[in-house]
Amino acid sequence: MTTGDEPGTLHAPAGGKVRKTRMKLADGRELIYFDDSEPYVSGAATRKLVDSRPLRPAVSQSQIRFDALTGEWVIIAAQRMDRTFHPPMNESPLAPSRQGKAPTEIPADDYDVVVFENRFPSLSMIGNDQHLPAYVDEEPLWPLASGTGRCEVVCFTSDPDVTFATLSVDRVRTVVDVWADRTSELSALPGIRQVFCFENRGKEIGVTLTHPHGQIYAYPYLPPRTSVLIRRSREHAERTGRLLLADVLDTERRSGRRVVLSAKHWTAYVPAAARWPVEVHLAPHRDVGDLSELDEAERDELASVYLELLQRVDRFFDGVDAVPYIAAWHQAPIGADRRYGRLHLQLFSMMRSPGRMKYLAGSESGMGAWINDATPEQIADRLREVAS
């Protein structure tokens, strides 16, 4: 049931290679093993490549509908209503499939890093052959389209008891290559406008599976944040001839007041208009569109710098061991507007103090008027204070 084996296609830590092996799950979704350890990376052994579960063929009913009031597309994915919710630790669908236990999403009895298409996707190209009308209720005010795209799950390790912040630098280096690989492949799919790699951590923000994992979305349109950023960047370029995100980085580095970490290829800073009680951005010094464009030196340094930032976030509040966060990799869009985008990480937490969360209430949710309870300078001071 394998559909291809691609050994030696990715750089791995310590000058090695990551072995990339594809297979199909029982319902037709794709799964890809990324092996960075022996005996698998050399091909001396191979992962189990058979999914024996009696699954129905994957089908997507996703739609995207246009909101005339905001100019934004909204994903309608009703099939996600019954997705897995807080299963017991011994029944995690992201664990390896081991003898004596029910099979999971991953047929192998162990793995290094694995990527597979989400079983409950917001966007999908599998079974998404709906013949939809051009408009809702045949009204031109409400454009309608199929939710064609792709949603992937990235399992960072087979160990359920670790977090991303406690992974080894070598494993994080592998994950960086996996993100880059998936960004490149998904960007080449027909109709895709942007690829978004991210990790949600913590029940406080709605995480339903505790196994250490992230996700990747390939959107068929530009999400609202990107649309606004690209418009602002285009206006900035027309006015100054320069790239907005590069100027933001240069300005933060020149000021230095909110810079929390500076390395050879990367700088981390709290943005001058930070919205969240804990927020830090990380950007490469070189103009890079997405993760796939990073060179080897930039990827090597990113692995250690990113770990340091995650560990600082976990030390931000006294008495809190695992701060809930979202780690969002913003990448340049695909197409004509690509030159206005630039790779950067937005790492933020909704926690405002131990045990207390910032909830988006009337001003933020209803009007989009943001209120932060901490100054960006206070956030930066604390992130420097908790450095390793």
Side-chain angles (χ1 to χ4, degrees):
M1 295 179 68
T2 179
T3 59
D5 188 28
E6 304 169 38
T9 57
L10 302 179
H11 176 87
K17 295 290 182 180
V18 172
R19 191 177 190 88
K20 179 180 176 183
T21 307
R22 301 177 185 269
M23 66 165 291
K24 292 288 186 179
L25 295 172
D27 57 3
R29 291 175 294 132
E30 186 175 37
L31 179 146
I32 310 171
Y33 294 107
F34 292 89
D35 289 308
D36 60 15
S37 66
E38 290 294 357
Y40 303 99
V41 67
S42 67
T46 57
R47 301 292 185 188
K48 181 181 178 183
L49 297 178
V50 176
D51 180 9
S52 59
R53 294 174 297 170
L55 301 180
R56 297 177 180 176
V59 175
S60 173
Q61 299 174 335
S62 295
Q63 305 174 358
I64 55 174
R65 299 188 180 194
F66 189 74
D67 184 345
L69 300 181
T70 64
E72 300 171 0
W73 288 96
V74 177
I75 301 172
I76 309 295
Q79 73 274 6
R80 286 174 52 80
M81 185 67 72
D82 297 324
R83 65 188 185 274
T84 307
F85 185 79
H86 291 310
M89 287 287 288
N90 61 351
E91 296 179 14
S92 172
L94 307 185
S97 292
R98 289 177 175 160
Q99 191 171 7
K101 295 184 178 181
T104 71
E105 288 282 74
I106 300 139
D109 60 4
D110 197 8
Y111 61 84
D112 293 331
V113 179
V114 70
V115 174
F116 60 89
E117 290 183 79
N118 199 318
R119 190 173 179 181
F120 303 97
S122 301
L123 302 162
S124 180
M125 294 185 174
I126 297 181
N128 202 344
D129 54 356
Q130 306 172 82
H131 300 289
L132 299 175
Y135 306 103
V136 177
D137 300 334
E138 300 182 356
E139 294 286 352
L141 192 62
W142 301 317
L144 171 68
S146 177
T148 302
R150 182 145 158 160
C151 295
E152 297 183 340
V153 176
V154 184
C155 295
F156 307 129
T157 172
S158 61
D159 186 347
D161 298 322
V162 303
T163 67
F164 200 114
T166 60
L167 294 175
S168 68
V169 173
D170 282 353
R171 172 51 53 82
V172 176
R173 180 63 174 80
T174 296
V175 172
V176 170
D177 274 339
V178 171
W179 284 335
D181 174 271
R182 304 314 304 143
T183 295
S184 179
E185 282 203 4
L186 296 178
S187 296
L189 293 177
I192 297 304
R193 296 294 310 284
Q194 187 175 31
V195 177
F196 176 48
C197 305
F198 63 102
E199 181 196 1
N200 301 329
R201 189 182 79 171
K203 291 183 179 180
E204 296 89 344
I205 61 168
V207 173
T208 59
L209 297 174
T210 59
H211 193 102
H213 73 286
Q215 299 182 65
I216 304 175
Y217 276 28
Y219 297 101
Y221 60 91
L222 290 190
R225 181 182 176 93
T226 303
S227 293
V228 172
L229 174 59
I230 293 303
R231 185 182 74 243
R232 296 283 298 162
S233 185
R234 185 187 303 112
E235 293 169 352
H236 184 81
E238 291 170 353
R239 187 171 62 253
T240 68
R242 298 190 299 272
L243 183 61
L244 176 59
L245 283 165
D247 275 2
V248 167
L249 175 62
D250 290 344
T251 302
E252 290 288 2
R253 294 180 72 192
R254 187 164 59 247
S255 164
R257 178 62 183 88
R258 289 168 300 277
V259 170
V260 299
L261 186 156
S262 185
K264 182 177 181 180
H265 302 289
W266 296 85
T267 290
Y269 60 90
V270 177
R275 300 182 174 209
W276 297 98
V278 183
E279 181 172 0
V280 60
H281 292 194
L282 175 66
H285 296 165
R286 188 168 63 92
D287 287 343
V288 171
D290 62 33
L291 288 155
S292 72
E293 295 179 7
L294 295 173
D295 63 29
E296 299 298 331
E298 290 164 335
R299 297 185 190 195
D300 287 343
E301 188 174 87
L302 174 57
S304 57
V305 166
Y306 186 41
L307 268 182
E308 170 66 16
L309 285 182
L310 292 179
Q311 291 164 5
R312 290 193 196 186
V313 168
D314 274 347
R315 293 191 292 264
F316 194 89
F317 298 109
D318 291 332
V320 179
D321 294 327
V323 174
Y325 66 74
I326 293 175
W329 283 102
H330 298 279
Q331 308 197 83
I334 297 123
D337 290 326
R338 185 170 180 82
R339 65 185 182 276
Y340 299 117
R342 194 180 193 274
L343 175 69
H344 64 288
L345 169 74
Q346 180 192 20
L347 174 62
F348 61 97
S349 175
M350 304 79 173
M351 184 169 280
R352 57 187 176 89
S353 62
R356 296 178 181 177
M357 303 295 291
K358 174 183 175 63
Y359 295 104
L360 303 190
S363 183
E364 289 95 349
S365 295
M367 293 299 290
W370 219 264
I371 303 168
N372 196 347
D373 299 327
T375 70
E377 290 73 26
Q378 289 173 328
I379 300 169
D381 288 343
R382 179 58 177 165
L383 285 170
R384 286 192 292 264
E385 182 182 330
V386 295
S388 297

